[in-house]
Amino acid sequence: MEPYDAFDAIDPFTAATRAFDCLKGALAGPESAALSHHELEDLVGLQGRELLRLLFQGHLDLREMQEREQIRQTGARVVRGADGHVRPHHETGHSRLLACVFGTVTVTRTAWRGKGQTSVHPADAELSLPAHLHSHGLRRLAVLEAVRGSYDQAKEAIDRSCGRVLGKRQAELLVVAAAVDVDDFYRCTIPLPSTAATALVLQVDGKGVVMRPEALRPATLKAHLNSRHALRTRLAPGEKPHRKRMATLACVFDTDPAPRRPHDVIAPPEGRSTTRTPRPGPRAQHKWLTASLVHPPEHVIAAAFDQAEARDRNHLRDWVVLVDGARHQLELIRAEADRRHIKVHVLLDFVHVAEYVWAAAHCFNKPGTPDAEVWVAGHLTTILHGQAHRAATEITAEADRAYLHGTRRESADACVRYLTGHLDQLRYDTALAAGWPIATGPVEGACRHLIGDRLDITGSRWGLDGAEAVLTLRALIDNGDFDVYWRHHLAREHERLYPAPDQHNYELTA
């Protein structure tokens, strides 16, 4: 008589088969004929997710049965772990829970033990199981949901599609853990090459994020603790709550030259000619973003220069750096360029210049009048011709002729100081002739997208690790690198959890 083989007799997919028959019976039964299409969607969605969970569970059970059968057939007696130590004893039936996108399943496997040693589970390495409860698929979903909306919204979205498998606090921890390999990923990434005629543009900006007190920088925390407000229920004009930590953002992109003239940017006071349309400006290509709350600005600027050098290792292209005029940023950029022996063309954001000129215009003309617009257009055209010093001299002379003093002259003097203090960064005539951009639109948009749309949600107060992870991952997604990064991250996670110098996690020895 042939011996009874339990492995062949037990079908691990029995429960899944019953669930499928149950769903098929419900859809074929007379009750379903009265259901509307959206009620059918709910029925199939709910029972179909349970069917998928049971199929996943059935495969895990099958793997556990195959592991037992392999041990029985080969007569294996010891396992050598990644630490090199032998575990001679094995014990079946060790189980752990795994929360996945279909629900929660149980992973049962064999544990190998040795005296005074931790147990190893070869099946964990074969399945590349995570260290904790949540599967990599669920982690990926949690990251994508949490970085685009609030954690409450992320939890609700996951509850709808996966059931109750993830809490809000768990989602926060998963996001932080998911960002640990971003710097390593970009060190290994090779950007797309470009021709020497393509300009290389770097832009730097900063934006504050409201933080919890323990996440503030020491000087800001000290000011926050020592602040005494004049009013009890709100801030008085000019008072600051000292609750923000400054994030530094940098943007690197390529752009093909698009030469323009000043009147392509600013319409002349008498209006543009109807016989010639304005020439379009340069367009950003292969944009790359980086941002950080943890690292100082010089670290972010160095990362942007690293990215730029990876695109132009021999420094054959024109390097254009656009800033908003912050002295500290300018000093850091020049120091980094000098350290690398790179010639950079530094330009002030033309939009910031225009704001100063508009403020000065209101010293001489009523706000919102055509005269103010004509006054601004004239001076901005002069500045675009590379004659910022002339524009500053004319504004000063006009203020003297109008006998402006005190507060009536403040905006005009501020504009003059801004122009004369940055003359070497106002060579817009050279930039327009070369076809370079003169405004920081990409990095300004990044500030709104990366920070304003997520970290600046009303009422949010951030811890340092969580804010840095969300900011880093949003930049990664905006760069279009998330799918490639996730494969890189899972490979690194496997190496951390199951290190093996010989590329075999566990050695099965007879």
Side-chain angles (χ1 to χ4, degrees), residues 128-373:
S128 194
L129 294 181
H132 302 293
L133 174 67
H134 303 97
S135 72
H136 293 317
L138 185 57
R139 288 172 53 198
R140 185 180 190 278
L141 179 60
V143 168
L144 291 175
E145 292 291 343
V147 300
R148 71 177 183 179
S150 69
Y151 283 111
D152 288 326
Q153 292 172 330
K155 182 182 181 306
E156 291 174 2
I158 293 172
D159 286 349
R160 288 193 298 269
S161 61
C162 306
R164 295 183 178 274
V165 291
L166 184 70
K168 176 181 175 181
R169 177 58 179 164
Q170 293 169 324
E172 295 176 12
L173 296 175
L174 293 180
V175 169
V176 173
V180 296
D181 295 311
V182 173
D183 290 342
D184 177 68
F185 168 73
Y186 278 120
R187 280 192 292 268
C188 303
T189 303
I190 301 175
L192 293 174
S194 296
T195 64
T198 302
L200 186 59
V201 184
L202 293 82
Q203 299 181 353
V204 181
D205 203 354
K207 187 173 178 61
V209 178
V210 179
M211 310 295 289
R212 298 174 189 144
E214 66 273 13
L216 296 172
R217 289 191 169 92
T220 310
L221 177 60
K222 182 179 180 181
H224 174 72
L225 296 176
N226 295 334
S227 60
R228 296 292 182 268
H229 302 308
L231 303 178
R232 181 175 58 85
T233 57
R234 60 173 296 170
L235 294 176
E239 287 186 337
K240 294 184 178 180
H242 302 291
R243 296 182 303 179
K244 288 188 175 182
R245 184 181 179 113
M246 189 62 66
T248 305
L249 294 89
C251 178
V252 180
F253 60 87
D254 304 323
T255 182
D256 293 326
R260 291 177 291 169
R261 294 182 295 182
H263 287 170
D264 294 318
V265 181
I266 294 293
E270 64 276 9
R272 284 196 174 97
S273 170
T274 57
T275 60
R276 187 182 69 83
T277 58
R279 298 173 183 174
R283 299 179 66 86
Q285 301 172 355
H286 311 139
K287 185 174 67 175
W288 178 86
L289 294 170
T290 185
S292 180
L293 278 157
V294 173
H295 300 298
E298 53 265 32
H299 182 279
V300 177
I301 291 172
F305 271 79
D306 287 341
Q307 171 69 199
E309 272 206 297
R311 299 183 182 206
D312 183 26
R313 296 192 180 280
N314 296 321
H315 307 162
L316 301 176
R317 301 162 61 184
D318 290 325
W319 289 43
V320 182
V321 180
L322 281 157
V323 294
D324 61 6
R327 288 291 182 185
H328 183 55
Q329 284 183 1
L330 284 170
E331 292 171 359
L332 294 176
I333 289 168
R334 293 198 182 280
E336 190 66 27
D338 292 342
R339 186 176 71 85
R340 298 171 186 253
H341 306 291
I342 300 172
K343 179 184 177 182
V344 296
H345 304 274
V346 181
L347 293 173
L348 283 189
D349 173 28
F350 183 68
V351 176
H352 280 75
V353 177
E355 290 175 354
Y356 275 90
V357 176
W358 268 105
H362 297 153
C363 295
F364 308 101
N365 305 277
K366 291 183 178 180
T369 61
D371 290 340
E373 187 175 23

